[in-house]
Amino acid sequence: MKTSIKDKKVSRKEFLKVFVGGVGALTVFNGLFKNSPTKAKGLLSSNDGEGHSWAMVIDQAKCNGCGFCIKACQASNDVSPDTTWTDLYQVSDVGDQEVYLSVPCMHCEHAPCVSVCPVNASYYREDGIVMMDYDKCIGCRYCQVACPYDARSFNWEEFTGENPAVPEWGEPDIERRPRGVPEKCSFCFQKIDRGLLMGLTPGVDSAATPACVNACPPGARIFGDLNDPESNVSQAILNSPSYRLREELGTGPRVYYLPANRGQEDAS
Amino acid sequence: MIARPKMKLNQPINIWFAILSVLIVMGLTSGIIVLVQGLSVTNLTDLIPWGLWIAIDLSSIALAAGAFSFCAAVYLLKLKELEPMARTAAFIGLIGYTMAMMCLFLDIGRPERFWHGFAFWNTHSVLWEVTMCVGLYFSVLLLENLPTIANLSWLKNKWPKLTEKMASVHHYAPYLAVAGLALSMLHQSSLGAMYGVIAARPIWYRPGLAVLFFISAMAGGVAMTTLATLIVGRIKKGVNIKKSSIEKVLKFLGWLLVGYLYLRFWDLFAMTYTYQPGKAEGLKILTSGPLSFNLWFGELLLGTLVPILLLFNSKTRKNEFFQILAVLLVVGGVIAYRWDTNMVGQLIVQKPILNEFAPLYAQYSPSLIEIGVGAGIIAFGLMAFTIGVKYLKVVDHNEGTESSIV
């Protein structure tokens, strides 16, 4: 097929038109699918700085691996003794001190479990908590396959009978999950919500704070609002080196760790 | 005197039906146990939540891909002579998707909520897209099979007008072919992307899986349809198979396999470009670990390379034994690929060691109940196909030309 110069000119013009139009369309398209904006007004806020943005800080220098967090969680959330919502690993030794890593749900800002769930059973709350709708869940376990932190436990069978952690470690304040759905840590949303209604501050008043935080004897766990620059979590992250698990995946965990050996690094 | 030879002829098929019935009863029993007792009767764990049933589900969908491939060839590329094979393929497709849905029904923890995917949309989820596509495509397959089901003689006698209407759906075949092609391209790829999007498991996390799943499904689907056609042509008396059609299909399958092998090698070698914890270990599992026999022999040598040679050599391509062997190997290769892909990402578990998430190895082998359910579902598929062959003439290259006139 012959193409004259004129043809070429027209086609270039048309190409430009299409190109500009395409870029415009893509911009609009991109805007439509953009995730919630990350303009931080608070210290480390990720929800526009409005409302609350809950986070947990776990100090590995203080954690002694006692496992009280697990027991308190099992009682408060009525979790089966075979299941933990906050796994505990002994990871190394620093000097003569054993170092532990407690891994609850990270309540990721970009949670793989939320994006893969085919029925929206995993979803974000305004305050950043990654929630499970146990009535919606079909039990496909895609979230479990997708979670980088193994935070989820599937109810392969129904948890029936007595909860051995009750009443020694606390009283359940949410419903037991049925068979056939995965369950996970919820930052004890029930305590937070009730506490806020009563005018309490989560992370400060124990009635409004996650059970594991309250139960920790050495006080290795801190909970609070990242939107409040004065909160103990904001201050802890500001005043000390911290890291998050598998940060390279871009999940943006809401659980921060203060490394065990930071004191030694400061000294050297 | 006339009845006696008929009885004799029926004997092998009766044994076949008896074996399948036993397996189906076994599968039903296992399935009921699963529904009553829950998934604790499986060997699935929090580390390996997807096992044998997901592999069967993926394989049935892949092997059902002949339906869209042949329908597209006949109604969009106008290869009219393949029309009888498209009929076979569409019927196998209907069975394959039914099998897949049976697997999923038992595999999900809350089977009574199977419909939630259609009610609560998460448009960001690959699995949601797969659910929608599978649901919609199943309806397409039902419509595509209406003219075939209209062949049922007692239905014809009882409701002649209804069967006439059913047969007339055939006029919409080109539109159904377009819908089938679009929906299949979407979900066959997305089944690969389902693994490909999982950043937490680096051995899966790559864009190639979607392409590989689509192409291997096409190869597997075409091979499965050809396999069924050849076996029925050999076993059932009075069935006519067009050798020229089979040969054309096999030549195409050979080239498709060459393309697949190229992409598969590209994908495999490209995985060695970068080191990521979990990826190298996954590759090791694939190339020299527990899945290595499956990969080298099941997928690559027997599943792809040998069939390519058999299909490109004109002597073996024209020999019925080697034809059956070649397509059988392709079917096996596709199943091996689905099994390997599903397992490899889960066998590597990342757990915190020395404050890093480091790879550990997990293990899985299906429980007897899982195997029972799987065998029952496969037996159901074979039974449904046999019934189709016997009463609906789903494999007959004479029958097809007649119905295309209707």
Side-chain angles (χ1 to χ4, degrees):
Chain A
M1 209 175 82
K2 279 185 200 168
T3 43
S4 66
I5 295 168
K6 205 183 164 192
D7 278 345
K8 270 188 181 168
K9 268 189 180 165
V10 170
S11 70
R12 191 174 294 159
K13 203 173 173 185
E14 278 183 348
F15 168 77
L16 269 174
K17 260 189 203 168
V18 171
F19 183 75
V20 171
V23 169
L26 270 177
T27 317
V28 172
F29 187 78
N30 193 26
L32 279 176
F33 286 90
K34 224 172 191 174
N35 282 317
S36 53
T38 46
K39 281 172 257 161
K41 281 183 192 161
L43 177 66
L44 291 146
S45 149
S46 55
N47 60 359
D48 246 355
E50 282 157 26
H52 302 288
S53 177
W54 305 118
M56 190 179 281
V57 174
I58 299 175
D59 187 344
Q60 287 183 287
K62 288 184 184 164
C63 176
N64 60 11
C66 68
F68 281 26
C69 45
I70 296 173
K71 293 283 179 200
C73 169
Q74 281 171 336
S76 236
N77 293 298
D78 212 356
V79 177
S80 140
D82 306 328
T83 305
T84 52
W85 280 9
T86 174
D87 292 343
L88 187 65
Y89 302 93
Q90 187 188 334
V91 284
S92 62
D93 301 277
V94 171
D96 52 1
Q97 187 202 350
E98 288 162 341
V99 179
Y100 294 90
L101 189 71
S102 172
V103 184
C105 172
M106 299 285 129
H107 296 275
C108 305
E109 199 181 322
H110 305 290
C113 58
V114 173
S115 55
V116 301
C117 176
V119 296
N120 279 328
S122 288
Y123 62 97
Y124 303 109
R125 285 184 11 151
E126 288 278 300
D127 55 8
I129 292 179
V130 173
M131 282 291 286
M132 262 298 287
D133 186 337
Y134 296 111
D135 295 329
K136 229 184 213 179
C137 173
I138 59 170
C140 72
R141 308 186 289 287
Y142 195 12
C143 52
Q144 234 183 339
V145 172
C147 175
Y149 309 100
D150 279 327
R152 287 165 176 265
S153 315
F154 191 73
N155 285 284
W156 300 101
E157 49 197 346
E158 200 182 350
F159 171 34
T160 49
E162 298 268 296
N163 183 340
V166 177
E168 193 188 341
W169 296 91
E171 287 292 335
D173 45 16
I174 56 164
E175 232 184 320
R176 210 174 261 190
R177 277 70 50 200
R179 185 184 90 190
V181 296
E183 58 179 52
K184 67 165 196 75
C185 155
S186 65
F187 270 176
C188 283
F189 78 101
Q190 70 277 16
K191 294 189 199 299
I192 296 173
D193 289 353
R194 207 182 37 219
L196 286 173
L197 279 178
M198 298 191 310
L200 304 174
T201 309
V204 177
D205 302 302
S206 64
T209 305
C212 58
V213 177
N214 294 335
C216 184
R221 294 167 105 94
I222 313 170
F223 187 80
D225 188 354
L226 287 181
N227 279 353
D228 172 8
E230 298 305 317
S231 74
N232 38 13
V233 283
S234 297
Q235 287 300 316
I237 298 166
L238 194 68
N239 297 327
S240 167
S242 68
Y243 72 98
R244 297 183 288 177
L245 295 179
R246 299 185 83 176
E247 216 161 353
E248 73 280 6
L249 298 179
T251 46
R254 285 177 178 275
V255 176
Y256 293 77
Y257 293 89
L258 310 183
N261 57 354
R262 61 186 192 279
Q264 292 173 348
E265 270 173 11
D266 290 347
S268 64
Chain B
M1 282 296 276
I2 303 159
R4 272 194 81 179
K6 233 184 177 178
M7 280 291 285
K8 259 188 184 169
L9 255 179
N10 274 347
Q11 258 174 10
I13 199 163
N14 285 343
I15 295 169
W16 174 241
F17 273 133
I19 295 171
L20 292 182
S21 305
V22 169
L23 289 173
I24 289 173
V25 169
M26 227 175 69
L28 266 177
T29 319
S30 315
I32 290 167
I33 292 173
V34 171
L35 290 179
V36 173
Q37 302 212 36
L39 294 171
S40 58
V41 297
T42 66
N43 278 355
L44 298 170
T45 58
D46 283 343
L47 295 182
I48 301 195
W50 286 353
L52 178 69
W53 297 341
I54 293 296
I56 295 179
D57 154 64
L58 292 173
S59 303
S60 342
I61 288 183
L63 298 178
F68 88 83
S69 313
F70 276 100
C71 288
V74 172
Y75 300 107
L76 305 179
L77 300 180
K78 307 282 182 204
L79 301 172
K80 281 284 175 216
E81 63 161 310
L82 296 181
E83 213 249 279
M85 289 192 80
R87 249 162 37 88
T88 311
F91 193 71
I92 292 175
L94 188 65
I95 295 171
Y97 280 82
T98 310
M99 288 167 65
M101 288 196 277
M102 287 171 156
C103 280
L104 290 178
F105 183 74
L106 287 176
D107 192 74
I108 57 175
R110 310 290 305 188
E112 80 280 10
R113 299 180 187 161
F114 72 91
W115 51 274
H116 277 202
F118 301 100
F120 308 108
W121 294 14
N122 179 10
T123 51
H124 295 279
S125 167
V126 187
L127 191 54
W128 173 78
E129 190 236 294
V130 170
T131 311
M132 292 300 272
C133 281
V134 167
L136 289 172
Y137 187 48
F138 189 73
S139 336
V140 170
L141 281 170
L142 272 176
L143 289 173
E144 281 180 334
N145 277 284
L146 280 183
T148 306
I149 297 165
N151 276 347
L152 203 60
S153 46
W154 69 261
L155 200 68
K156 250 182 196 165
N157 294 334
K158 219 168 182 186
W159 293 293
K161 278 207 169 161
L162 177 73
T163 49
E164 229 172 77
K165 277 223 168 112
M166 281 165 72
S168 72
V169 175
H170 189 79
H171 294 301
Y172 302 101
Y175 302 102
L176 292 174
V178 173
L181 181 66
L183 290 170
S184 294
M185 288 185 88
L186 282 167
H187 74 267
Q188 294 281 8
S189 317
S190 296
L191 282 168
M194 207 171 79
Y195 296 100
V197 298
I198 305 296
R201 300 175 190 258
I203 189 69
W204 280 341
Y205 192 46
R206 59 190 201 274
L209 278 178
V211 179
L212 284 168
F213 262 58
F214 178 68
I215 295 187
S216 62
M218 245 173 105
V222 169
M224 186 72 217
T225 306
T226 315
L227 177 66
T229 307
L230 286 171
I231 288 178
V232 172
R234 216 186 159 100
I235 293 177
K236 200 185 170 204
K237 295 245 163 81
V239 166
N240 192 23
I241 305 290
K242 262 195 215 133
K243 291 212 157 147
S244 59
S245 305
I246 296 280
E247 260 180 56
K248 263 183 202 163
V249 168
L250 291 180
K251 221 173 185 174
F252 167 74
L253 181 60
W255 281 110
L256 191 61
L257 286 173
V258 170
Y260 172 62
L261 192 65
Y262 164 72
L263 290 171
R264 186 84 177 92
F265 268 113
W266 156 72
D267 180 61
L268 208 58
F269 287 131
M271 275 198 277
T272 63
Y273 286 3
T274 55
Y275 175 79
Q276 267 174 293
K279 195 177 180 187
E281 288 77 7
L283 262 180
K284 204 177 151 197
I285 282 188
L286 270 180
T287 54
S288 58
L291 296 175
S292 56
F293 183 81
N294 263 10
L295 174 79
W296 296 118
F297 286 90
E299 284 186 47
L300 296 173
L301 184 69
L302 297 178
T304 320
L305 208 57
V306 171
I308 287 174
L309 296 177
L310 289 176
L311 296 177
F312 276 158
N313 181 327
S314 62
K315 257 191 189 165
T316 45
R317 190 175 64 239
K318 288 186 167 73
N319 178 307
E320 211 187 31
F321 170 76
F322 287 113
Q323 288 179 338
I324 291 180
L325 180 68
V327 288
L328 189 67
L329 287 175
V330 174
V331 166
V334 171
I335 295 173
Y337 178 52
R338 294 300 189 271
W339 172 266
D340 292 349
T341 305
N342 179 53
M343 286 320 294
V344 71
Q346 296 179 81
L347 289 176
I348 304 292
V349 181
Q350 308 242 41
K351 288 280 185 188
I353 300 167
L354 296 173
N355 254 10
E356 292 279 335
F357 270 72
L360 291 172
Y361 297 96
Q363 273 184 328
Y364 163 79
S365 57
S367 72
L368 271 180
I369 296 247
E370 285 176 84
I371 294 170
V373 166
I377 288 174
I378 293 167
F380 155 81
L382 292 171
M383 176 84 101
F385 183 71
T386 315
I387 290 172
V389 169
K390 203 161 184 255
Y391 298 103
L392 305 176
K393 296 175 188 153
V394 291
V395 182
D396 195 341
H397 292 192
N398 287 332
E399 187 71 22
T401 43
E402 271 171 38
S403 78
S404 67
I405 298 163
V406 172

